[in-house]
Amino acid sequence: MKYLKLLVVSLLSLHLGAQNITGKVTSNKEALPYVNIYLKGENQGAVSKENGAFKITNIKPGTYTIIASFTGYQTQKKTITMGAKDLVINLDLPESELLDEVIITGTLKAVSRLESPVPVEVYSPAFFKKNPTPNIFEALQNVNGVRPQLNCNVCNTGDIHINGLEGPYTLVLIDGMPIVSGLSTVYGLSGIPNSLIEQVEVVKGPASSLYGSEAVGGLINIITKLPENAPLFFADNYVSGWGEANFDLGFKSRIGKKVDVLVGANYYKYSNAIDNNNDNFTDVTLQDRISVFQKWNFKRKDNRLLSIAGRYFYEDRWGGEMQWNKTFRGGDDVYGESIYTSRYELIGNYQLPITEKINFQFSYSNHDQNSVYGNIPYLAQQRIGFGQLIWDKPLKNHDLLFGLATRYNFYNDNTTATVNPDEITIPSVFIQDEIKLSEKNHLLLGARYDYDDRHGSIFTPRIAYRFKPTENDIIRLNAGTGFRVVNLFTEEHAALTGSRDVIIEGELSPEQSYNVNLNYLKKFYTKGGQIFTFDASAWYTYFTNAIIPDYDTNPNQIIYGNLDGNSETKGLSVNIDAIIDTGLKASIGATFQDVSQTENNIKTRQILTERFTGVWSLSYKNFPTNLTIDYTGNIYGPMRLPTLGVRDPRSEYSPTWSIQNVQLTYTTKANLEFYGGVKNLLNWTPNQGNPFIIARSDDPFDKNVQFNTNGDVIATTNNPYALTFDPSYVYAPNQERRLFFGLRYTLN
């Protein structure tokens, strides 16, 4: 009896000791329903009601960390003592609409986007989930002013255009390091696991004063997650009606007390040969690709930084005649383009153990490519090493940045253009000063000096001015120069296919550009609670020594040489983002541009450049059912295309065309997402309105083509248009309408 009384008293005391946590979740002072609230490390939690209120019952005595999470919003954490009442948790605005994200790309240091004198566009994983893709190359199709361009109908290689400029003018970084360049701009943009991406930063316009060659038209910085901020485990897998299968997996782990490691892997498989346009060639290249990524963060004294990351990438892709298999590789019986790519990359960032903030950043990539284009082999190796010391020195009203950099390039292939391996080391020095003239006025001055043994000294200055008249208005004016040292055989896929003869006129000098960009950003709130962000830019870029492939002089040749004249690109872009209502978000963007070249006083429109583009997205989440619908799309104006002379029956200009997608996502309370939808709703393909896309697809080795003594094609009975085999007439993907289904899981 004594023990029974003791048990009753103990249970009663536990019951009386247990209390509740009550509160309300808000966003922008408005109640936010259906938010997940839980206690870290405990199996207790709640979901906020329509009025934002929540209640967690039977809490034992103690101190807890309460976490409030909601898809698209910044997760909030608070430390509380049991029995907290009337707790108010405010969730920040959705991640994709925030203007105060921390960015690093514009000035090589972490600053608020609002404070940066350089306009930088930021895209979060939530943006890319609206239209899931197997790689970052395709994911950029809904970024205003950015267009993934396919360069070959057979092997489906591509590059990224910014504001109408060709892919080699775009520098792609991973964690700030320039390792996606040269050969990898053609074949290495795939295989970066989307699940590992923290955010993507886009700068439009020259950035050579900080990043050197290739950053002429703009740059894209793919920033991966920090291991300590990543979920414990995550997976994102989907399949499509065309037989595509994409798998993203990752996890993080802590080794000891001072080491965090993040591991991610991507596998993509497409082995379903389809020929819906009936030209006996694969509509989409078949691919078998694997990529493994690992990132290590080390905790050091005084929170100094030490981070090392690596990636291995292997891909086997081929496209060609439907009856092709690997026994035909390199022969002239059945045409196929087969590429084996093997590359590894290493990235590191080390803060020196001294009082001053000095970081040593480094990267190394090794790219090995074994490829054949029909019966023409292209075997190439490229190694790129990069290292730089950056000294960040803030002073009163000045924020100084000093840098010393060295870039090592090694390139060798089996073509006659590379008799000896191309090996060069380019040292650089740069300086930047952001001057605080007043709270509203900031001025940035920067300059870079590079020395290239082949071309001598290269100097690239820039100036940026930021005026912030109110908290919700920012005006930015940027001007600067850019340069690019050209290696055709690592950047121009058309120079490799063998479908046209490559002619190089004289010694190619570095391209130079002069650019000015005016940007205005405004954020405003309506009385109805809507939030709008307006972002507009106007730009003008003038090129000297431009190297633009000439497809027109001789339809059987691609002629490369420095332009005896100039090239210009000018335009205007506008983006509007809106939070219209709880659960309803929209964005729309448009770019209008004119890209031309002038030689011998004759002005012509640049090939494969559209006059206007548009992108949009509309997302609505129904909180009671946890269903989200996303509608995304883009539209492109006509482009001038590379035809094969006056007899070519294919249209000289593409039509206005659009790719639109819809997706439905169901989210469970266990962080499990089921999603599916339709890609290419309008079923648009480039063969519509054209008699064919690939010229002479029935004679890919030109065995039945006749030439005259001048090398010109003669029109014959079986070749009435006087054509040769050419797969470079391409501007849009060949994939038709298709369904897709996927599953995501996150364990925090």
Side-chain angles (χ1 to χ4, degrees), residues 356-376:
E356 295 291 340
K357 188 178 180 181
I358 300 178
N359 281 40
F360 175 63
Q361 301 173 334
F362 62 90
S363 66
Y364 179 80
S365 64
N366 186 303
H367 187 108
D368 186 274
Q369 184 171 315
N370 180 323
S371 51
V372 293
Y373 302 90
N375 58 353
I376 299 176

Side-chain angles (χ1 to χ4, degrees), residues 293-346:
F293 178 91
Q294 199 171 74
K295 188 173 186 178
W296 297 69
N297 271 18
F298 300 85
K299 296 187 183 299
R300 299 174 58 211
K301 185 178 179 181
D302 298 324
N303 292 321
R304 291 191 179 96
L305 180 65
L306 174 56
S307 175
I308 299 175
R311 181 174 77 116
Y312 176 74
F313 170 91
Y314 179 80
E315 183 181 66
D316 175 2
R317 71 160 62 199
W318 75 268
E321 295 186 272
M322 292 292 288
Q323 61 270 33
W324 189 92
N325 59 54
K326 291 184 179 181
T327 63
F328 296 109
R329 193 175 195 267
D332 61 359
D333 293 323
V334 179
Y335 188 90
E337 297 185 3
S338 169
I339 301 99
Y340 303 145
T341 302
S342 176
R343 68 178 277 119
Y344 63 85
E345 305 156 349
L346 184 67

